[in-house]
Amino acid sequence: MKRFLLLSLCCITQVVAAQEVLTIEQCRNLAIQNNKEIQMNQQKIKAADYERKAATTKYFPQLSAMGTYMYNGKNIQLVDYSDLTPLMGQVGALLGKLPPAIGAPVGGLIQGVTDKIKHATELDIQNVWAADISLIQPVYMGGKIIAYNQITRYAKALAESMHNTKLKDVIYTTDETYWQVVSLVNKQKLADSYVALLQKMDNNVQLLISEGVATAADGLSVKVKLNEAQMTQTKVENGLSLVRMLLAQLCGLPLESSFTLADENIKELTSTPQRAISTNIEEALANRSELKSLDYALKIYQKKETIIRSEALPSLAIAANYLVTNPNSFNGFKNEFAGMFNVGVILKVPISGWVENSFKKNAARAESYIKQLELEHAQEQIELQVNQSVYKVNEAEKKLNASQSNMRSADENLRYATLGFEEGVIPTINLMQAQTAWMQAHASLIDAQIEAKLTEVYLTKAMGTLGTN
């Protein structure tokens, strides 16, 4: 019983999954959520924002601390007492001529003084300690800090612009694949109807052959046409399976997942009405994130020129330090900690290297000019793309209207041919021609309807408004 309930639950789950209906907005959202490049671009935006925040710290004082310890194997002796050895010998000889009661105290006194002098002139540097806290406040760096902060702001804006470009590319690819699935679903329905139509005709022809009304050649002609239709049916089914897998992959769904698209019923698609399409090129240029990216890149290269130029300009900073040492010589030489502070101004004036800097500046100017040309070229291409998209939209509308008219004629032609064949006044070949024309007219209508939808997607992408509605 438990196995039966478990099996029933699995079957219900599969049926519910198979009945899942996805709209084009849901497919877009799923594709955006599961696209790894979009996720990477989001992290790049965060990284650029942290870089921008880090750049602002260059305006404030830079505080640092340093500590050192050094062990020395010898002390420093300020006086070379080996030069005084002969003199000390003469003093000892003179003291030896005095009475012991006088010579001994005087000798001891001289030796004590000598030892104190030796101790006073010996610097104990066996253990040396030093610590320093420094503060540097930039005052003028040739415009380098300001340019660096502007570069980081442009870099963040560039990362956001590239993210928007990738976002629109994902939406565009998803929409294109979505409508391809819709097209193949309806072509599969059309292929199934065409095969069913030919199978019915094959049965009728076989009956006519058995009655002696039709010939075996008529039957073979229908068989050949039926085989071709079945091959076409198989190709459409395989193509639909592959495109469904592609859409599932874009949406982050399992490749074998079963779903239905909300627009699969092509008859419910509203045809694009005839309208006068007018576009504003300036609006398209303002909306296209690719142009924004190139503009930010140009500004970054221009600020790099400023940074290179600043290397040839003087720089000024205020410095303050507090130094602690042990031993110290602030009040004699003592083995104890003592410190002092100092405040000063640091001025750096580059003298050499101006030739190298001029070459670097020219190279940076050339790179900026390259970006300027890329921006102008992209603007020209986008203007051409917008005009081409408008042309394609208008052409798709005309093609859709013509396809609808052809379909109505093909339907009517097939109806008359079928009635004539049933009445025996129209031969088999004429009916098959009518069926083929009907098949082609309906396939052309599907293509025209999908093309009308896709050209609208192309136009919104060219105008930079895709995904903003």
Side-chain angles (χ1 to χ4, degrees):
M1 184 65 179
K2 291 182 178 179
R3 291 183 180 179
F4 176 74
L5 291 175
L6 181 61
L7 182 61
S8 300
L9 181 61
C10 292
C11 292
I12 293 173
T13 304
Q14 291 177 356
V15 171
V16 172
Q19 292 177 348
E20 182 181 4
V21 178
L22 296 177
T23 64
I24 191 169
E25 290 78 12
Q26 290 173 328
C27 290
R28 286 180 176 183
N29 293 332
L30 288 172
I32 292 171
Q33 293 172 7
N34 292 279
N35 188 271
K36 297 298 185 294
E37 292 187 38
I38 289 180
Q39 296 174 8
M40 288 188 291
N41 288 337
Q42 290 172 344
Q43 296 303 315
K44 288 179 182 178
I45 293 174
K46 291 183 180 179
D49 185 54
Y50 289 131
E51 290 287 344
R52 181 190 61 81
K53 292 178 180 178
T56 57
T57 62
K58 300 298 181 182
Y59 288 114
F60 303 102
Q62 305 298 311
L63 186 65
S64 63
M66 182 180 67
T68 60
Y69 167 77
M70 182 181 294
Y71 175 81
N72 297 299
K74 292 183 179 180
N75 292 331
I76 295 177
Q77 192 65 255
L78 297 179
V79 179
D80 185 4
Y81 289 98
S82 62
D83 295 337
L84 301 178
T85 301
L87 178 61
M88 296 302 295
Q90 293 176 4
V91 171
L94 292 174
L95 292 176
K97 294 178 181 182
L98 295 176
I102 298 174
V106 173
L109 179 62
I110 292 174
Q111 186 65 40
V113 172
T114 302
D115 292 341
K116 287 185 178 180
I117 291 174
K118 286 184 177 180
H119 180 72
T121 56
E122 181 180 6
L123 303 182
D124 184 7
I125 61 167
Q126 190 172 23
N127 297 291
V128 178
W129 303 82
D132 176 63
I133 297 178
S134 64
L135 182 146
I136 297 179
Q137 173 61 58
V139 178
Y140 176 73
M141 293 290 139
K144 183 185 298 184
I145 295 178
I146 296 176
Y148 179 58
N149 274 268
Q150 290 173 337
I151 285 176
T152 55
R153 286 198 294 270
Y154 291 144
K156 180 186 177 183
L158 175 60
E160 292 173 344
S161 179
M162 294 178 66
H163 171 70
N164 292 334
T165 300
K166 184 59 186 177
L167 197 67
K168 292 178 181 179
D169 288 341
V170 170
I171 293 175
Y172 171 77
T173 304
T174 305
D175 285 11
E176 189 177 38
T177 309
Y178 179 94
W179 291 114
Q180 285 177 353
V181 172
V182 172
S183 174
L184 289 174
V185 165
N186 285 275
K187 285 186 177 181
Q188 183 186 35
K189 295 177 182 178
L190 181 60
D192 293 342
S193 300
Y194 186 50
V195 169
L197 194 64
L198 289 174
Q199 287 175 342
K200 180 180 178 182
M201 182 178 179
D202 181 55
N203 294 331
N204 293 335
V205 170
Q206 293 301 322
L207 291 175
L208 293 175
I209 292 173
S210 62
E211 294 176 359
V213 178
T215 64
D218 293 331
L220 290 175
S221 299
V222 175
K223 291 285 186 184
V224 170
K225 208 67 176 179
L226 178 59
N227 291 335
E228 292 177 354
Q230 289 173 340
M231 290 177 61
T232 302
Q233 184 184 38
T234 302
K235 290 180 180 179
V236 172
E237 290 175 354
N238 293 337
L240 177 60
S241 299
L242 292 175
V243 177
R244 278 191 184 277
M245 288 182 185
L246 177 58
L247 182 60
Q249 183 186 36
L250 290 174
C251 296
L253 301 174
L255 296 181
E256 65 279 2
S257 59
S258 179
F259 54 86
T260 302
L261 301 184
D263 296 305
E264 284 189 3
N265 189 355
I266 199 75
K267 294 180 181 179
E268 295 180 359
L269 289 179
T270 56
S271 60
T272 307
Q274 283 286 350
R275 65 187 186 279
I277 302 228
S278 60
T279 57
N280 188 342
I281 299 298
E282 296 299 327
E283 179 185 355
L285 296 179
N287 291 334
R288 289 294 288 266
S289 54
E290 297 94 331
L291 293 182
K292 294 179 181 178
S293 297
L294 287 173
D295 184 55
Y296 290 132
L298 173 61
K299 291 178 179 178
I300 289 173
Y301 275 94
Q302 289 173 342
K303 293 305 174 183
K304 284 184 178 180
E305 289 185 52
T306 303
I307 291 177
I308 293 175
R309 191 183 304 114
S310 68
E311 294 177 358
L313 298 176
S315 60
L316 180 65
I318 297 175
N321 295 275
Y322 187 80
L323 178 66
V324 177
T325 61
N326 182 5
N328 68 83
S329 57
F330 297 117
N331 187 17
F333 190 82
K334 298 180 180 180
N335 290 97
E336 61 183 24
F337 286 96
M340 68 171 183
F341 72 89
N342 57 63
V343 179
V345 177
I346 302 174
L347 176 64
K348 179 182 177 182
V349 181
I351 298 176
S352 63
W354 61 271
V355 176
E356 178 186 3
N357 186 268
S358 66
F359 292 148
K360 289 182 178 179
K361 185 167 58 178
N362 291 334
R365 188 178 295 113
E367 290 177 345
S368 298
Y369 186 60
I370 291 172
K371 291 299 175 183
Q372 178 67 40
L373 293 176
E374 289 180 359
L375 177 60
E376 294 175 359
H377 177 70
Q379 289 174 342
E380 295 172 357
Q381 294 297 315
I382 287 175
E383 184 176 357
L384 178 62
Q385 189 181 68
V386 170
N387 291 325
Q388 288 176 340
S389 298
V390 172
Y391 174 78
K392 288 181 179 179
V393 168
N394 294 328
E395 184 182 15
E397 290 178 352
K398 294 178 181 178
K399 188 182 295 185
L400 178 58
N401 292 330
S403 299
Q404 290 173 338
S405 177
N406 291 337
M407 184 200 67
R408 288 191 292 269
S409 298
D411 288 343
E412 190 67 14
N413 184 42
L414 179 60
R415 188 175 70 85
Y416 280 120
T418 303
L419 290 176
F421 177 77
E422 292 175 353
E423 296 295 332
V425 296
I426 289 181
T428 306
I429 187 65
N430 290 353
L431 178 58
M432 287 193 298
Q433 290 175 350
Q435 291 172 341
T436 302
W438 175 86
M439 170 72 175
Q440 292 174 349
H442 278 264
S444 298
L445 178 61
I446 293 172
D447 291 336
Q449 288 178 304
I450 297 301
E451 185 177 353
K453 290 292 183 182
L454 289 178
T455 52
E456 291 181 357
V457 176
Y458 301 153
L459 180 60
T460 54
K461 184 177 186 294
M463 292 295 297
T465 57
L466 181 62
T468 59
N469 298 330

